[in-house]
Amino acid sequence: MRSRLLVPLLLSLLLAAGRDVTGEGVDRKPNFVLMMVDDMGIGDVGCYGNDTIRTPNIDRLASEGVKLTQHIAAAPLCTPSRAAFMTGRYALRSGLGSTGRVQVLLFLGGSGGLPSSETTFAKRLQQQGYTTGLVGKWHLGVNCERRGDHCHHPNQHGFSYFYGLPFTLFNDCVPGEGSDVLADLQNTLRNLTMFLGVGLLTLVCVRVCGLFEVSLWLLVALFIFSILATAVWYMPFKLLPTWNCIIMRNQEVIEQPMTVETLPQRLLGEAQHFIKRNADIPFLLFFSLAHIHTPLFKTPAFAGKSRHGRYGDNIEEVDWIIGKMVETVDSLGLSNNTLMYFTSDHGGHLEDADTLSGQKGGWNSIYKGGKAMGGWEGGIRVPGIFRWPGRLAAGRVVDEPTSLMDLYPTVKYLAQDTHPDRHLDGYNLMPLLEGKVERSEHEFMFHYCGIYLNAVRWHPPSSDSIFKMHFFTPNFSPPGAGGCYDTKVCMCHGEHVTHHNPPLIYDLFHDPSESRPLSPDTEPRYAEILEETTKAVERHQSTLTDSDSHANTHTLGTPCQMTWEKILWRPWLQPCCGTFPFCGCKENATHT
């Protein structure tokens, strides 16, 4: 009799233990799989209105979770947007707001990057016992003072494991795709080198033929100067594929230059392996895709399959990759304890097109502008999808303003991190995602173009309206165009912008395309909008303490990371496999 009573008791104990081992215990902290696409427009995805590009896996993610329709990047370019995403703070607080032409990091051999004084969500979770991984693009710097100090490296910012691109995928990585890095400066230096070479050759001929006396010392000096000029042009620019197009595993360069054709499969494989290796412990994976930044991939399985050329092919490949990530999580029985998130770092690049490939940048739906266009909605409104079966209601849609910066406090909250933090610009999204509240905590949002406050968004209490005030706007070129086609990207300073006094004001609820500016005659609250927004800007600027003062002085607190001094290439900072400058290696394909 006693033995028959013991059997059910033992079985229940074993089942309870099994739930703990397999991660289904109620006390286990959730996992996080954060997936970010590079340069994807909000109009590229089926669940956001695209009915010509096939994205069934992303659409399914939205139908099984929560879709955000007003999800806003903190900047319209890679480096500042990703810094804000990682830290939950506007990029200028990290010194990653630009003051002039250079708006993103350009060389792995530069010294700029995410300062060690900043804290990422990965570092917070690492302190909570999580295993953290980043697979894919980083683009927030590597070294500071010498090759190998890795002061900006993902491993120093809370990621236990890193595999991927410490820089980014860009056109220089593929022969024949042109150059993305200071092309006009490259042309100027090349022409100067050619001019010096022709001049030197002419003087040598004059001296040899005896037409007139040419000092030998002058020829030697000119020869040395020509060699130096050639080195200044050739070393940093002509060898860019070797310097910037590399793959690292943790702090080791494992491929230089990288083989672009196999990159998507390798990144996906690494992301899947990370999840499988850590299925029994709490983990955070940031899967930062190389798609769909140019150059566009030509993966045979997707080439020519879409209705929108190579760009559409790449979007459909992204969708397949997302499907594989969801499949991996589900097959391991992790879905009910894993928050999956899908987004883009900013809007699509409208100006990127050519006659051979057609449009190579994304579609931003009805929204004006795109990548690098300051506060125009097309450059900052991005997809935002959360999936967590059993915790988040399937098919829920949230139209309230939310930000990529909200991921930091949300992840921190779910990881039960209650330790004090710095001033954050994001908010915990869980009450909104779970439907416990209807209003976003973002009454105001501030949209920066570099270090310059470009626009402010105000969502008044008890109102559906979303007012957006633009203090300046980029000058599109040629006149009448919808982007900066002459320069390929818009800029934030000087003659490249037009300041507005009074500011341009739009109501995004009634005019999401920002085509009808409000006036005192058309908007009864016009004066109130100006007054409340001005007060909000003053309150916001009061939070920019000495640690953020680089935005104005570049002398106190966190140094600006976007100066020419920190951006330009330095040989002693260049990551290298082998003996510099003879850098070159290929990844061992057998590594898992």
Side-chain angles (χ1 to χ4, degrees), residues 122-425:
K123 185 174 290 186
R124 298 297 297 216
L125 264 65
Q126 196 177 55
Q127 294 167 353
Q128 295 298 308
Y130 274 74
T131 295
T132 55
L134 167 57
V135 173
K137 171 177 173 173
W138 173 241
H139 207 182
L140 292 173
V142 177
N143 297 316
C144 286
E145 298 179 355
R146 58 180 175 80
R147 182 181 305 115
D149 67 25
H150 297 125
C151 65
H152 301 308
H153 190 279
N155 289 159
Q156 304 301 323
H157 281 292
F159 289 101
S160 313
Y161 179 75
F162 170 64
Y163 174 93
L165 294 69
F167 190 60
T168 184
L169 180 66
F170 68 127
N171 281 327
D172 300 71
C173 296
V174 175
E177 292 287 348
S179 179
D180 288 329
V181 178
L182 303 175
D184 57 338
L185 178 60
Q186 290 190 51
N187 291 332
T188 299
L189 291 173
R190 183 176 63 250
N191 292 338
L192 175 62
T193 301
M194 294 174 63
F195 176 78
L196 289 171
V198 170
L200 176 62
L201 182 61
T202 301
L203 290 176
V204 168
C205 291
V206 166
R207 178 183 171 89
V208 170
C209 295
L211 296 179
F212 59 84
E213 186 67 25
V214 178
S215 168
L216 180 61
W217 289 110
L218 174 62
L219 293 177
V220 170
L222 192 57
F223 175 75
I224 294 173
F225 187 66
S226 298
I227 294 297
L228 291 174
T230 302
V232 167
W233 162 62
Y234 191 87
M235 283 292 287
F237 292 112
K238 293 303 290 182
L239 298 178
L240 265 177
T242 298
W243 305 144
N244 279 359
C245 305
I246 73 174
I247 296 177
M248 298 182 78
R249 176 174 281 109
N250 293 320
Q251 298 178 4
E252 178 187 2
V253 178
I254 60 171
E255 187 159 289
Q256 187 174 21
M258 65 184 173
T259 302
V260 173
E261 291 77 12
T262 59
L263 186 61
Q265 296 84 357
R266 286 187 283 169
L267 293 180
L268 173 60
E270 285 285 340
Q272 291 175 309
H273 287 319
F274 180 87
I275 295 173
K276 292 173 182 176
R277 288 196 306 268
N278 298 289
D280 295 329
I281 57 176
F283 67 84
L284 175 142
L285 171 63
F286 177 32
F287 184 25
S288 178
L289 283 74
H291 293 77
I292 52 176
H293 199 290
T294 52
L296 298 173
F297 291 100
K298 304 175 185 178
T299 306
F302 298 93
K305 298 296 177 64
S306 79
R307 295 166 58 185
H308 289 281
R310 196 186 303 172
Y311 184 82
D313 298 344
N314 274 244
I315 292 291
E316 294 188 0
E317 185 175 15
V318 166
D319 181 75
W320 177 81
I321 290 171
I322 299 304
K324 287 297 180 183
M325 292 296 293
V326 175
E327 180 183 300
T328 300
V329 170
D330 291 353
S331 67
L332 295 170
L334 299 175
S335 58
N336 287 343
N337 197 46
T338 300
L339 176 67
M340 299 193 75
Y341 169 68
F342 173 82
T343 192
S344 174
D345 57 353
H346 50 71
H349 192 182
L350 299 183
E351 299 95 340
D352 204 347
D354 61 35
T355 55
L356 181 63
S357 303
Q359 183 65 30
K360 296 193 287 185
W363 181 47
N364 301 315
S365 187
I366 62 173
Y367 305 108
K368 186 172 185 176
K371 176 179 179 177
M373 297 189 197
W376 287 124
E377 201 74 358
I380 56 177
R381 189 180 289 223
V382 296
I385 299 172
F386 288 85
R387 177 210 190 227
W388 190 352
R391 183 74 183 264
L392 300 180
R396 178 173 167 78
V397 177
V398 173
D399 297 321
E400 289 288 294
T402 58
S403 171
L404 267 68
M405 295 184 292
D406 296 337
L407 264 292
Y408 181 108
T410 303
V411 166
K412 179 184 169 186
Y413 164 78
L414 290 171
Q416 302 172 28
D417 180 353
T418 58
H419 293 92
D421 214 330
R422 312 136 300 148
H423 177 92
L424 296 179
D425 298 304

